[in-house]
Amino acid sequence: QICLSLVKLLFYLAHSPLGSIVLLDFQPRQFVMVDGNLKVTDMDDASTEELSCKEDNDCTLDFPTKSFPLKCSAVGKCEGINEKKNLFNAYRYFFTYLLPHSAPPALRPFLSDILNATGDLRYGINETLKDFEKVLHLYKSGLYLQKRPLLLKDYISLKGFRAVELEDYKCWPSYSHLGCLLSVHSAEEAAAICNSQSQCQSFIITQQRTWTGRPLALFQSSLTDLMPDANAVVYIKRSASSGERL
């Protein structure tokens, strides 16, 4: 969410009515999340000036660990230098820390491609936004889910009940510090996640939603407490169920 919001912001800066705007003091502290959108808190160090040049050799974009040769345009300006400076700073301050983590395994290769392309400045902001939106579409639609055996049939469903959220086993990247609360596309994906975790014996699809509209599923190692809830369904591994427990 943070990276996509940042890319949308940089897309606007690259195509602003004032021209391409560069953030000269590009640091994480310069940004804040407001209603799920990343905002710049200080525009004092923003500039529309692009580096003047006479030849391509005048247009090297230097960073502490990398340098990039750019083209000198016919009007004597280094082509796209403001856009590329913003994008590489987004890569080194945000993408490298946030993109490799917490995505479903099937989506990680797409994010790695974005990471590598922006790290080498092979992508401009237009291509970067397009690829981010492609990943978001795959994520929200569930199209990233590979065809696999249907696992939900291995679970008993108890309608009208929900498990009490108590402190339980932890998982990454959980939305709760009490236990394992993960975003899923469907109960079928939740069943696959539960099967992949040795501690998991049951799960419930909660009424909570993430910023993409996906539900959160709570995974638990036991069923010590159930509460009536007309809108809920608890899914229990058949191998874990017994007459005493049910």
Side-chain angles (χ1 to χ4, degrees), residues 148-217:
R148 63 183 77 182
L150 297 178
L151 301 174
L152 200 57
K153 59 179 173 47
D154 297 330
Y155 290 76
I156 296 169
S157 61
L158 273 180
K159 296 182 180 180
F161 292 93
R162 66 177 173 85
V164 178
E165 187 175 350
L166 301 172
E167 188 165 354
D168 205 334
Y169 76 92
K170 310 297 192 295
C171 67
W172 175 260
S174 178
Y175 283 79
S176 170
H177 67 280
L178 292 175
C180 187
L181 186 67
L182 300 176
S183 163
V184 297
H185 177 259
S186 62
E188 186 62 51
E189 184 181 14
I193 292 173
C194 189
N195 274 25
S196 70
Q197 298 175 344
S198 59
Q199 308 99 313
C200 184
Q201 298 299 319
S202 65
F203 66 87
I204 178 174
I205 308 297
T206 74
Q207 299 299 307
Q208 296 173 266
R209 294 290 185 271
T210 69
W211 66 281
T212 60
R214 287 162 53 101
L216 294 179

Side-chain angles (χ1 to χ4, degrees), residues 84-116:
K84 291 180 183 297
K85 189 171 184 179
N86 283 341
L87 188 56
F88 190 78
N89 277 327
Y91 159 81
R92 67 181 183 138
Y93 287 119
F94 287 89
F95 296 173
T96 53
Y97 297 105
L98 300 177
L99 284 188
H101 310 292
S102 77
L107 289 179
R108 288 174 193 167
F110 295 99
L111 296 177
S112 292
D113 287 345
I114 293 174
L115 194 64
N116 293 333

Side-chain angles (χ1 to χ4, degrees), residues 5-19:
S5 189
L6 176 59
V7 168
K8 288 180 177 179
L9 173 61
L10 297 188
F11 179 85
Y12 173 78
L13 294 179
H15 302 285
S16 84
L18 299 176

